[in-house]
Amino acid sequence: PGDATHVGMLRCYYKLKQYMMSHKLDMPSRTYNIHVTHRRRILYTTSGHPARWNDKTLQLFDEYAKQMYHGNMFGGDFIFTLLEGDEDSASEKLYRGPWEIVDNGYLS
């Protein structure tokens, strides 16, 4: 999964305090776009950005997500099969390209 995470800053210039504040933390913070596995292994993270930036803005600076979107991350075709339908009438469907579980803030 990929999502934005906030890391609090213990020291921040007064002039930057408003820019680094967010609704998630009560202190100035930096926000990072992070991609992890289900076993909590970090695959990629962006550099830190102001906490006021939302997921859609962070996505513009995320090279990992850009490579996934353009399909050139794994070198060749990434093909897999999933079952679709009800329990009684499930059918196999072929998909191409890598997929990632994200929340509603990402560009499609």
Side-chain angles (χ1 to χ4, degrees):
D3 199 8
T5 185
H6 290 74
V7 177
M9 297 171 57
L10 297 177
R11 297 179 68 185
C12 180
Y13 289 117
Y14 181 76
K15 291 182 179 181
L16 296 176
K17 185 177 179 182
Q18 279 296 85
Y19 197 52
M20 299 295 181
M21 292 298 289
S22 73
H23 65 279
K24 290 188 177 180
L25 295 177
D26 291 334
M27 61 188 306
S29 59
R30 303 283 287 167
T31 186
Y32 300 85
N33 213 25
I34 188 167
H35 300 268
V36 297
T37 65
H38 291 287
R39 294 186 177 196
R40 299 180 183 150
R41 179 178 173 216
I42 297 173
L43 300 175
Y44 179 81
T45 183
T46 61
S47 58
H49 297 287
R52 289 201 180 266
W53 289 14
N54 61 15
D55 289 351
K56 290 181 181 179
T57 306
L58 288 174
Q59 190 71 8
L60 299 174
F61 298 96
D62 193 342
E63 292 299 322
Y64 187 88
K66 285 180 190 176
Q67 288 181 9
M68 281 184 64
Y69 181 78
H70 293 298
N72 56 3
M73 177 173 275
F74 296 105
D77 286 336
F78 190 77
I79 301 171
F80 60 98
T81 306
L82 290 178
L83 294 176
E84 288 190 350
D86 299 333
E87 286 183 25
D88 302 331
S89 61
S91 61
E92 290 186 356
K93 185 169 181 183
L94 190 68
Y95 286 92
R96 290 182 179 272
W99 287 72
E100 184 175 32
I101 300 170
V102 295
D103 63 6
N104 227 2
Y106 282 78
L107 303 172
S108 55

